[in-house]
Amino acid sequence: MARRTKVYEGKAKILYEGPEPGTYIQYFKDDATAFNAEKRDVIDGKGVLNNRLSEYFMVGLNTIGVPTHFIRRVNMREQLVRVVDMIPLEVVVRNIAAGSISKRLGIEEGTQLPRPIIEFYYKDDALGDPLVSEDHILAFGWATHQDLDDMVGLAARVNDFLSGVMTGVGIKLVDFKIEIGRIYEGDFQRLVVADEISPDSCRLWDAKTGQKLDKDVFRRDLGNLSEAYTEVARRLGVMPGNSTTMPKPKLMN
Ligand code: 5GP
């Protein structure tokens, strides 16, 4: 067996060199971390679920003309993606107050925000991914004015798409984080949604009961994370039928 070249290993994913130039294989691990990796565990089946869910969202975005790095899923834990030049920012969109905005601004969790709010965080583990302003981003050269406009546009379109999909299955999209990369095409560059979109990077609350179906289940010790993600996958109809590597789905009617 030939050894693959690991390009990058993060907390939840590994990137390997892909089969063709300009591609990576993105491998989803079962590792769960929170609070800048101070809390960590291995959650059986999480990588499989996030691989499927991220595929589902990225394919949906591609279909409505929102460019992403996603090419195709390769197997239960891996997908083929385009190599992009990552912008070192996390773009967070919030519809309902929760998490850090509630703490920072003293807004009760669950408060509907007057409109979607977009925030930027500088990706730096040592600093704990601090919130940054557009002026920081421009002054330090992390992105240009044009990039910022494009990022806000992409984030808004992802929010509209994800909110609609989630509403359709009885889930409120509270907030989410995306990461964006540059793809160069001759004299032009294009921004695309990269990394992953999964319950690891979104807050998802059941519309009726308010039950949390996202990584807060792990962060706040609220129960079984893989059951929560399985529920999201089941509602979206993306549960693989008879896989032996999936955790047993809990079917509820
Ligand atoms: P908050 O700023 O409230 O902690 O997070 C806002 C949203 O962005 C949440 O949906 C959260 O899951 C997501 N998010 C923020 N930072 C990260 C991160 O470093 N990794 C992941 N996976 N999601 C994040």
Side-chain angles (χ1 to χ4, degrees):
M1 267 214 281
R3 196 175 185 82
R4 290 198 290 190
T5 307
K6 196 188 279 187
V7 181
Y8 172 80
E9 178 156 6
K11 285 171 275 196
K13 297 185 295 295
I14 303 173
L15 288 177
Y16 295 100
E17 259 177 21
E20 289 158 34
T23 64
Y24 286 150
I25 294 287
Q26 181 166 262
Y27 175 98
F28 287 76
K29 301 197 273 188
D30 280 343
D31 301 47
T33 63
F35 313 120
N36 210 2
E38 274 169 37
K39 179 177 166 92
R40 48 174 77 228
D41 203 350
V42 176
I43 313 279
D44 242 11
K46 180 175 86 82
V48 174
L49 285 156
N50 280 352
N51 186 29
R52 290 299 293 226
L53 285 164
S54 200
E55 172 195 19
Y56 178 80
F57 298 128
M58 296 282 182
V59 167
L61 286 169
N62 285 336
T63 306
I64 61 161
V66 177
T68 79
H69 72 159
F70 181 85
I71 301 173
R72 65 171 179 278
R73 187 167 59 81
V74 176
N75 57 43
M76 295 297 283
R77 285 187 181 273
E78 297 178 330
Q79 46 187 245
L80 186 68
V81 299
R82 288 184 70 172
V83 174
V84 305
D85 179 15
M86 291 300 289
I87 294 177
L89 298 169
E90 295 187 340
V91 184
V92 168
V93 182
R94 301 180 187 273
N95 298 305
I96 296 171
S100 71
I101 198 174
S102 291
K103 279 208 194 87
R104 193 180 315 115
L105 301 181
I107 308 173
E108 195 184 340
E109 281 213 338
T111 307
Q112 181 73 43
L113 295 168
R115 61 171 177 79
I117 292 176
I118 301 180
E119 299 171 337
F120 297 98
Y121 293 81
Y122 179 52
K123 270 179 73 69
D124 186 314
D125 282 344
L127 299 175
D129 299 341
L131 178 70
V132 290
S133 71
E134 296 197 0
D135 215 28
H136 290 132
I137 295 169
L138 295 170
F140 296 123
W142 297 322
T144 63
H145 268 296
Q146 180 66 56
D147 292 334
L148 277 171
D149 280 355
D150 292 350
M151 283 194 285
V152 167
L154 277 178
R157 293 182 74 192
V158 173
N159 189 40
D160 287 346
F161 170 76
L162 282 183
S163 296
V165 167
M166 290 302 172
T167 302
V169 295
I171 292 174
K172 279 190 199 168
L173 178 66
V174 174
D175 58 32
F176 66 90
K177 181 263 304 181
I178 52 171
E179 296 186 25
I180 291 173
R182 297 185 169 93
I183 284 180
Y184 303 104
E185 287 161 357
D187 289 345
F188 297 92
Q189 70 146 27
R190 202 147 61 108
L191 297 192
V192 305
V193 179
D195 191 55
E196 72 177 289
I197 300 177
S198 75
D200 265 9
S201 50
C202 302
R203 282 200 174 88
L204 305 171
W205 295 352
D206 180 85
K208 280 205 191 106
T209 64
Q211 186 195 353
K212 292 181 178 26
L213 298 169
D214 57 63
K215 199 165 146 190
D216 275 349
V217 172
F218 170 72
R219 293 189 188 103
R220 304 180 187 187
D221 292 321
L222 298 175
N224 185 314
L225 189 76
S226 117
E227 273 179 23
Y229 288 19
T230 301
E231 175 60 12
V232 176
R234 186 193 69 78
R235 289 197 198 183
L236 293 170
V238 296
M239 285 296 296
N242 47 11
S243 159
T244 50
T245 49
M246 285 293 292
K248 283 200 178 59
K250 210 174 107 196
L251 288 174
M252 307 191 324
N253 275 315

